[in-house]
Amino acid sequence: MEMLDKGMTHIPDDKQKHVEGEARVPAKLNQHEAAVRPCPWSPQMMLRILKAMETEQDENFTHILDVVGEFGTFQRKLVALTFIPNILLAFFMFADIFVFAAQTPYCNTSWILALGPNLSEAEQLNLTLPQGPNGSFQTCLMYTPVAWDLDSIIQFGLNATQSCQDGWIYPESKSRSLINEFDLVCGKELNMETVQTLFLVGLLIGSLVLGFISDKLGRYPSIVLSLLALIIFGFGTAFVSSFHQYLFFRFGVSQALVGYSISSVSLVTEWLAGEHGAHAIILAHCFFSVGIMFLSGLAYSLSHWRLLFLVGGAPVFSIIFYIWILPESPRWLMMKGKVEKAKQVLCYAAYINKKTIPFSLLDKLQLSGKRETNASVLDFYNNRQLRKVTLMMGCVWFTVGYSYFTLNIKMKDFGMNIHSRLVIHGIMEVPARLWYIFLLEQMGRKWSLGVTLFQGFLMSLLILIFPPGIDSPKLRWSCCLATEFTSMMVLMVLVGECSLAASVTVFFIYTAELLPTVLRATGLGLVSLAWVAGAILSLTLINHSLTVLSSVLSCLSAILALSLCSLLPETHNQPLSDSLDNYPLRKRSLSKDSTTGDAFCDDTNEEVKNTFLNAMNLDPDLLSDTPLQYKEATADKTG
């Protein structure tokens, strides 16, 4: 006060009294009045400013994408780059169906040919293999070789038996598969459940690891890593020398498949705005169906499993040039604070599209440069909205994975030729996916998802109600009726399979739009875990002959998924979320009222303050430039 009086010596008496009165106002404030005075940097104020800044940044970025071109030459080339990998994904994903063709083995008894080199194959088997009660040759036993001449063997026959000593032969086999390549018979039989489960575990690990890499290092590194793994483990499968090496290579292929799927969907979603992104993903997945037909035709033409991987995997080398031409996502670059790189990518896209980005827009992009956003997998727990969306979409993905594998395994009960089945399945999938272009535009994401879930639920319900096939006692009296019924059941299963396969495309689109850019790939990886969990559960139940329980669970999970689907927000014609700032923070940081005083402004909103400072690129000392009355009141309290 002494300094204040010295500073007012030159002021007239009447004005001096007025100024002194104003100076004494803070001293007259009681503790309650100081406590209820609003904090100038309240969480609400900072979040409003931050949201306004974020909206302005998104508008600038969206405006630049509009200037670059919504679907120009650059975007069309980007979509075309997804065609070849998707064909290969289908080829490598379903190749197991043809390399484990059923074989009938017999012990190798070529020892008798030294005694009678002119023996026919039928005579050799009759002399050296024991027969079962039904007259068929036993597969794992042979007569013990003896030092007799051929006439004695024909006259007296052989009686003593032993297990196969010199391997096996497959006289009825017309193709070379893994079974007769590595003799997976007689105690070494292949357990397809183990092979399928191992492949699904690879999908599970790949969805976590490569989804994390895609969000941390970028879409480009994740895609390139997945494609390189596809070359090494996919094409390299043709050169394995043991069955365990085959399993290891298939494990690597499964991780590459899911890694590319997640990263490519994220890249396309972030480059193409609105319906263009949805159409591009649908079209790319149609080429996945083309890959299924390509695999079926190739497997029908080639009789050796190694040739299948050599010829079918050869196109994988055409994607090596992706290393030099594949673009990075500008949205991801912006969220990581790499504004200059984002500008370079956008300018290159504009050049390809023969467009020009005004310098004023680029300057705004520079001025609004977003600092690196710290996001981790823990945000799926910490952020309530993100946690809710992820859990609901996880339930939906579980339902689809479970129901799809249930229908896929049930199809084997009808004895349909595998080549014909895959060709028909691939042909039906293309219009099923293209149909969703119209559905997404007219009904939006949420209700399109509801339609596809209802179709899957209906097919599962019908299969649960009706008998499983032609062997039903009610149908044995009429062969004609049984044949028609079997055809109807096959058609229902195929429709259900195609509907659920097409729904995967809708889920990818919808989930990618629901998740923020900083955690988009990680979120897709997490919901893929639910899909894999559903697939593994389906395999386990059906392989343990719990078919009725499997169908009931399929219906119940579909009903739950339909209920959760109605709670999801609609993303049709909505801008993409880039950061977690678009999601509400945890309630605890905003639930307290501003009447808690200065302690609230200084302590509990520290997280919001730091977020605000990072977004604005400000120095914390700038917050000291608060309104005059608040500084006076604070000075009076501390004085």
Side-chain angles (χ1 to χ4, degrees):
M1 294 302 297
E2 181 179 355
M3 293 180 62
L4 185 62
D5 293 339
K6 290 180 180 180
M8 292 183 179
T9 53
H10 65 282
I11 301 177
D13 294 340
D14 54 344
K15 293 185 178 181
Q16 182 175 351
K17 292 180 181 180
H18 178 69
V19 173
E20 289 177 351
E22 287 184 347
R24 294 190 185 96
V25 170
K28 296 179 181 180
L29 292 174
N30 56 37
Q31 185 176 2
H32 174 71
E33 291 173 335
V36 299
R37 184 175 296 278
C39 174
W41 293 103
S42 64
Q44 291 82 0
M45 178 186 297
M46 284 188 277
L47 287 177
R48 282 196 297 269
I49 297 174
L50 188 61
K51 186 176 181 180
M53 292 173 54
E54 193 75 25
T55 302
E56 182 180 359
Q57 292 171 354
D58 291 339
E59 289 177 354
N60 292 335
F61 188 80
T62 303
H63 192 189
I64 289 180
L65 287 181
D66 293 338
V67 173
V68 169
E70 290 186 357
F71 197 68
T73 304
F74 177 84
Q75 286 84 353
R76 287 194 292 270
K77 289 182 178 180
L78 176 62
V79 175
L81 290 176
T82 64
F83 293 166
I84 295 178
N86 273 284
I87 294 175
L88 294 173
L89 292 190
F91 175 85
F92 288 119
M93 185 170 185
F94 296 102
D96 282 339
I97 297 176
F98 299 101
V99 301
F100 291 111
Q103 308 287 338
T104 303
Y106 300 108
C107 293
N108 182 9
T109 56
S110 58
W111 63 270
I112 201 172
L113 295 179
L115 304 176
N118 296 324
L119 288 174
S120 66
E121 185 178 88
E123 291 173 339
Q124 176 186 347
L125 297 179
N126 281 323
L127 293 174
T128 58
L129 295 181
Q131 297 181 1
N134 58 356
S136 62
F137 295 112
Q138 296 189 21
T139 59
C140 299
L141 291 177
M142 59 179 286
Y143 287 123
T144 304
V146 294
W148 299 353
D149 56 54
L150 182 61
D151 293 335
S152 299
I153 293 176
I154 295 175
Q155 181 179 1
F156 298 105
L158 302 176
N159 295 319
T161 60
Q162 65 180 21
S163 59
C164 301
Q165 301 297 318
D166 300 319
W168 290 263
I169 59 174
Y170 305 84
E172 299 177 4
S173 174
K174 297 180 180 179
S175 61
R176 188 72 169 172
S177 71
L178 280 172
I179 292 179
N180 51 26
E181 178 84 11
F182 301 117
D183 290 330
L184 303 177
V185 294
C186 297
K188 297 187 294 183
E189 286 87 359
L190 172 69
N191 187 348
M192 279 303 296
E193 180 183 0
T194 302
V195 176
Q196 292 173 334
T197 303
L198 182 64
F199 188 85
L200 291 173
V201 171
L203 294 178
L204 186 149
I205 296 176
S207 62
L208 284 178
V209 175
L210 290 170
F212 177 80
I213 291 176
S214 182
D215 279 335
K216 288 299 180 182
L217 302 182
R219 316 310 186 205
Y220 171 81
S222 180
I223 291 177
V224 170
L225 183 62
S226 300
L227 294 179
L228 290 177
L230 202 63
I231 295 174
I232 296 172
F233 295 106
F235 185 78
T237 305
F239 303 97
V240 298
S241 58
S242 68
F243 179 61
H244 291 94
Q245 287 184 12
Y246 177 85
L247 293 179
F248 174 74
F249 274 66
R250 292 296 293 168
F251 181 76
V253 164
S254 62
Q255 296 182 65
L257 297 180
V258 70
Y260 175 80
S261 299
I262 291 173
S263 300
S264 62
V265 167
S266 300
L267 182 65
V268 171
T269 301
E270 292 161 8
W271 260 112
L272 279 71
E275 294 304 320
H276 294 295
H279 296 171
I281 295 174
I282 291 174
L283 187 60
H285 283 195
C286 287
F287 277 84
F288 185 88
S289 303
V290 173
I292 295 176
M293 293 183 282
F294 169 70
L295 168 64
S296 180
L298 201 61
Y300 184 79
S301 304
L302 301 176
S303 58
H304 201 297
W305 72 272
R306 293 188 187 273
L307 284 177
L308 180 65
F309 279 101
L310 284 173
V311 178
V316 77
F317 291 101
S318 64
I319 60 180
I320 293 179
F321 67 92
Y322 282 40
I323 297 174
W324 295 279
I325 66 174
L326 200 68
E328 182 55 273
S329 166
R331 284 186 179 272
W332 181 87
L333 290 172
M334 290 291 296
M335 293 310 301
K336 292 299 179 180
K338 302 178 181 180
V339 183
E340 291 302 321
K341 290 185 178 180
K343 290 166 62 176
Q344 292 176 6
V345 172
L346 290 169
C347 289
Y348 175 74
Y351 170 77
I352 298 298
N353 290 338
K354 298 181 180 180
K355 302 286 185 179
T356 302
I357 304 176
F359 285 108
S360 59
L361 279 179
L362 290 179
D363 290 339
K364 289 182 180 179
L365 192 64
Q366 177 66 41
L367 291 174
S368 64
K370 302 177 183 179
R371 297 179 64 85
E372 181 175 356
T373 303
N374 294 321
S376 68
V377 69
L378 296 178
D379 290 310
F380 287 96
Y381 169 76
N382 295 332
N383 190 288
R384 180 186 178 189
Q385 179 70 9
L386 190 60
R387 181 173 67 248
K388 182 177 71 173
V389 168
T390 306
L391 288 176
M392 288 191 291
M393 289 305 294
C395 291
V396 174
W397 279 67
F398 173 87
T399 300
V400 173
Y402 179 83
S403 300
Y404 179 80
F405 270 78
T406 300
L407 293 177
N408 185 271
I409 296 174
K410 281 183 177 294
M411 179 60 75
K412 299 178 182 178
D413 297 336
F414 299 101
M416 189 175 180
N417 180 271
I418 187 61
H419 298 278
S420 303
R421 173 190 164 193
L422 282 184
V423 170
I424 295 174
H425 188 276
I427 293 174
M428 293 178 64
E429 273 191 15
V430 174
R433 286 192 165 101
L434 294 177
W435 158 250
Y436 281 101
I437 293 179
F438 171 80
L439 208 62
L440 289 172
E441 292 179 352
Q442 299 299 321
M443 301 182 64
R445 277 47 169 166
K446 180 165 68 173
W447 296 114
S448 298
L449 180 60
V451 168
T452 186
L453 287 175
F454 179 75
Q455 289 177 347
F457 163 72
L458 184 61
M459 293 301 105
S460 299
L461 184 62
L462 290 175
I463 293 173
L464 178 62
I465 293 175
F466 291 117
I470 194 171
D471 291 330
S472 175
K474 296 181 179 180
L475 299 179
R476 289 175 182 169
W477 62 273
S478 174
C479 181
C480 180
L481 180 60
T483 302
E484 293 180 358
F485 180 81
T486 301
S487 301
M488 182 183 68
M489 291 294 294
V490 168
L491 180 60
M492 284 194 301
V493 174
L494 281 174
V495 171
E497 275 188 309
C498 293
S499 176
L500 291 172
S503 68
V504 173
T505 303
V506 179
F507 295 149
F508 266 115
I509 296 171
Y510 194 19
T511 308
E513 292 177 349
L514 282 171
L515 297 170
T517 300
V518 289
L519 290 173
R520 181 165 289 121
T522 304
L524 285 171
L526 287 177
V527 295
S528 297
L529 297 182
W531 186 88
V532 174
I536 293 176
L537 180 60
S538 174
L539 291 174
T540 303
L541 292 179
I542 293 181
N543 287 321
H544 286 80
S545 301
L546 301 174
T547 53
V548 176
L549 177 61
S550 175
S551 299
V552 171
L553 185 58
S554 180
C555 294
L556 293 177
S557 61
I559 294 174
L560 176 62
L562 280 170
S563 303
L564 294 176
C565 178
S566 62
L567 303 176
L568 290 169
E570 179 59 65
T571 60
H572 183 52
N573 292 329
Q574 298 295 322
L576 291 177
S577 299
D578 283 333
S579 68
L580 291 174
D581 298 329
N582 295 334
Y583 285 85
L585 298 175
R586 299 185 69 176
K587 279 189 173 182
R588 190 178 68 176
S589 61
L590 294 177
S591 60
K592 295 185 179 181
D593 190 60
S594 59
T595 58
T596 54
D598 299 315
F600 175 72
C601 293
D602 294 335
D603 299 328
T604 60
N605 64 346
E606 190 66 28
E607 179 183 356
V608 181
K609 184 188 296 184
N610 292 334
T611 303
F612 179 78
L613 291 174
N614 289 334
M616 293 193 68
N617 196 14
L618 295 177
D619 192 296
D621 294 336
L622 293 179
L623 287 181
S624 60
D625 297 331
T626 54
L628 178 61
Q629 292 180 353
Y630 179 76
K631 291 202 291 186
E632 290 175 342
T634 305
D636 185 71
K637 284 175 60 181
T638 57

